[in-house]
């Protein structure tokens, strides 16, 4: 039986992506070779990379607007470092919004390069809200924010209007909701939530913001070198990029971001309604900042944990344990999680009322 997979990432992928990936490992495009043993320079793989890069821009509505899509390695964590390397001028400054563990990790890397201003932080309330009404210092070379805070279950619903480049870590909500993506000058996201398996990172960057720092950048960390090499500066993560292409094709087929946004909203509405209705549970994030991807909640009474855990496990649910920084439970409802899985979880939460 397929589990209801609530894992925070790596996480559930569309079934057809798993099946087509498995087929490609056995025999890639009837070539008599496995996807795992073909050259990244082969005609078939170059076509995969080209289509994946183009489809990213198409789905985000960024085609022909001066953006490039890259599939690199090193995870979103390497982008914490590549962003300041490529965008912070010698003796420059950067501004960051501190909304959680990952934002904080990004700040720590930027501090290695120059003055890093924290425009606002929600650390005072264990990151259970998104700061509002802050000002971004306009002397900064760029502003960095995290659209969805995977660990704390908060999500930015609005983004500032800025005259300086805006950089966003969209690791855990890319392709999940409609935004004006052209407001961002650089977006990055580890693949392992809404795109594919771990092993590649998507970067979407506007050409015009690059090459302005006066820094010498090591080649492997230089976005311009990767753009020039069409995302093949070094051997790309062949299998993860192919799986990402399959997910992007799946998303396009079902109607793109507008269609998945409706499904994601329905899932989040259903679960949060139960968290708010059921007296045995409470949500941890500020209601207006709740994430549609990661819902964090606690039991009102810890003594019910054993019964609840047994119930959801018996219902075929996996990956519901909360992150240690928040405790309790975290239901990650990425694009590929069907509404039916949320219906099962809600039924289990209701069932708990009859058992305690
Ligand atoms: C919002 C966010 N940023 C960055 C990361 C780190 O990603 P990676 O493990 O790909 O370095 C994660 C991982 O979960 C994340 O959720």
């Amino acid at each position: 039986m397929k589990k209801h997979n609530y894992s925070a990432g790596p996480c559930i992928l569309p079934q057809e992506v798993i099946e087509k990936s498995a087929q490609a490992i056995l025999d890639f495009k009837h070539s008599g070779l496995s996807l795992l043993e073909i050259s990244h320079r082969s005609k078939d793989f170059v076509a995969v990379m080209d289509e994946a890069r183009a489809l990213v821009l198409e789905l985000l509505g960024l085609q022909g607007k001066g953006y490039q899509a890259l599939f690199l390695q090193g995870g979103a964590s390497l982008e914490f470092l590549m962003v300041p390397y490529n965008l912070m001028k010698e003796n420059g400054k950067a501004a960051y919004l501190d909304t959680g563990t990952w934002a904080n990790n990004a700040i720590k890397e930027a501090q290695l390069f120059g003055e890093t201003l924290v425009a606002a932080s929600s650390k005072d309330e264990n990151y259970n809200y998104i700061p509002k009404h802050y000002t971004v210092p306009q002397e900064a070379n760029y502003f960095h924010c995290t659209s969805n805070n995977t660990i704390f279950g908060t999500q930015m619903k609005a983004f500032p209007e800025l005259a300086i480049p805006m950089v966003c870590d969209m690791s855990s909500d890319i392709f999940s909701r409609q935004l004006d993506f052209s407001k961002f000058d650089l977006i990055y996201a580890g693949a392992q939530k809404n795109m594919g398996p771990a092993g590649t990172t998507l970067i979407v960057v506007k050409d015009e913001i690059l090459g302005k720092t006066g820094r010498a950048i090591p080649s492997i960390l230089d976005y311009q070198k990767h753009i020039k090499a069409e995302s093949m500066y070094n051997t790309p993560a062949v299998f993860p990029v192919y799986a990402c292409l399959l997910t992007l094709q799946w998303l396009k087929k079902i109607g793109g971001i507008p269609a998945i946004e409706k499904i994601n909203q329905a899932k989040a509405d259903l679960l949060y309604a139960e968290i708010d209705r059921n007296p045995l549970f409470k949500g941890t994030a500020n209601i207006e900042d709740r994430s549609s991807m990661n819902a964090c909640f606690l039991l009102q009474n810890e003594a019910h944990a054993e019964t609840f855990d047994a119930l959801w496990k018996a219902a075929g649910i996996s990956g519901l344990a909360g992150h240690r920084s928040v405790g309790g439970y975290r239901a990650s409802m990425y694009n590929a999680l069907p509404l039916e899985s949320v219906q099962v979880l809600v039924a289990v939460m209701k069932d708990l009322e009859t058992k305690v």
Side-chain angles (χ1 to χ4, degrees):
M1 185 190 100
K2 185 104 171 97
K3 297 259 181 180
H4 301 287
N5 185 356
Y6 279 95
S7 175
C11 60
I12 187 163
L13 291 173
Q15 187 58 24
E16 69 174 63
V17 170
I18 308 265
E19 282 165 16
K20 286 181 180 169
S21 300
Q23 184 51 45
I25 286 181
L26 295 172
D27 182 8
F28 183 55
K29 292 191 185 282
H30 307 293
S31 62
L33 296 170
S34 165
L35 175 62
L36 303 182
E37 57 184 3
I38 59 161
S39 164
H40 62 294
R41 303 271 176 214
S42 63
K43 196 166 71 32
D44 280 345
F45 185 73
V46 171
V48 166
M49 180 61 98
D50 289 349
E51 187 182 344
R53 295 177 69 210
L55 208 42
V56 164
L57 298 183
E58 183 187 329
L59 287 164
L60 297 177
L62 293 177
Q63 259 174 343
K65 294 187 177 167
Y67 289 83
Q68 300 279 347
L70 299 169
F71 284 94
L72 306 184
Q73 292 167 69
S77 299
L78 187 62
E79 300 315 304
F80 298 162
L81 164 84
M82 282 177 76
V83 164
Y85 228 139
N86 283 266
L87 300 183
M88 207 195 291
K89 296 199 167 103
E90 290 276 20
N91 304 316
K93 289 179 191 171
Y96 278 69
L97 190 64
D98 177 21
T99 51
T101 309
W102 299 115
N104 211 262
N105 286 359
I107 290 168
K108 284 186 200 134
E109 298 300 286
Q111 284 167 340
L112 299 172
F113 290 84
E115 195 178 341
T116 304
L117 310 161
V118 177
S121 170
S122 48
K123 196 173 180 180
D124 55 344
E125 299 279 349
N126 197 29
Y127 297 116
N128 70 359
Y129 70 100
I130 299 287
K132 314 205 173 62
H133 314 299
Y134 51 88
T135 40
V136 175
Q138 291 301 301
E139 74 274 24
N141 300 140
Y142 64 90
F143 170 68
H144 179 285
C145 56
T146 311
S147 54
N148 185 71
N149 299 284
T150 326
I151 293 177
F152 298 94
T154 61
Q155 188 172 34
M156 294 178 74
K157 312 288 173 181
F159 295 85
E161 296 293 335
L162 299 174
I164 58 173
M166 181 150 67
V167 178
C168 190
D169 175 358
M170 291 196 190
S171 290
S172 52
D173 68 352
I174 187 133
F175 301 119
S176 72
R177 58 174 171 159
Q178 298 188 80
L179 290 174
D180 176 2
F181 293 99
S182 68
K183 279 183 78 166
F184 303 91
D185 298 272
L186 193 155
I187 295 167
Y188 62 90
Q192 65 272 17
K193 272 90 158 150
N194 275 338
M195 269 182 295
T200 188
T201 320
L202 172 66
I203 289 94
V204 178
V205 60
K206 210 168 189 179
D207 286 297
E208 67 181 31
I209 67 165
L210 299 173
K212 296 184 172 165
T213 62
R215 283 181 197 278
I217 306 174
S219 301
I220 191 72
L221 303 179
D222 186 341
Y223 291 128
Q224 285 186 312
K225 291 242 163 58
H226 287 288
I227 290 169
K228 192 152 173 261
E230 301 183 333
S231 206
M232 296 264 198
Y233 173 76
N234 66 322
T235 314
V238 171
F239 176 73
V241 172
Y242 180 65
C244 285
L245 171 62
L246 295 176
T247 311
L248 296 167
Q249 288 171 335
W250 166 83
L251 182 56
K252 182 173 171 174
K253 192 176 69 184
I254 65 167
I257 296 177
I260 202 76
E261 182 181 41
K262 282 203 192 100
I263 300 169
N264 288 336
Q265 200 54 55
K267 290 184 291 185
D269 287 349
L270 181 62
L271 182 56
Y272 284 120
E274 179 61 13
I275 291 171
D276 292 340
R277 182 208 64 81
N278 193 321
L280 300 178
F281 295 96
K282 62 167 183 260
T284 59
N286 233 26
I287 289 181
E288 63 180 7
D289 302 321
R290 279 173 165 174
S291 164
S292 58
M293 296 280 100
N294 314 95
C296 298
F297 57 100
L298 305 171
L299 277 165
Q300 296 277 12
N301 182 348
E302 264 302 302
H304 298 147
E306 207 179 309
T307 314
F308 182 53
D309 293 353
L311 283 175
W312 61 258
K313 283 175 193 164
I317 289 172
S318 102
L320 200 64
H323 189 274
R324 62 189 173 281
S325 347
V326 184
Y329 302 93
R330 172 173 50 170
S332 296
M333 300 174 280
Y334 296 120
N335 284 359
L337 186 89
L339 180 64
E340 184 213 346
S341 292
V342 183
Q343 288 162 343
V344 169
L345 174 56
V346 166
V348 167
M349 291 166 79
K350 288 186 198 300
D351 199 19
L352 185 66
E353 285 180 290
T354 68
K355 299 275 190 310
V356 297

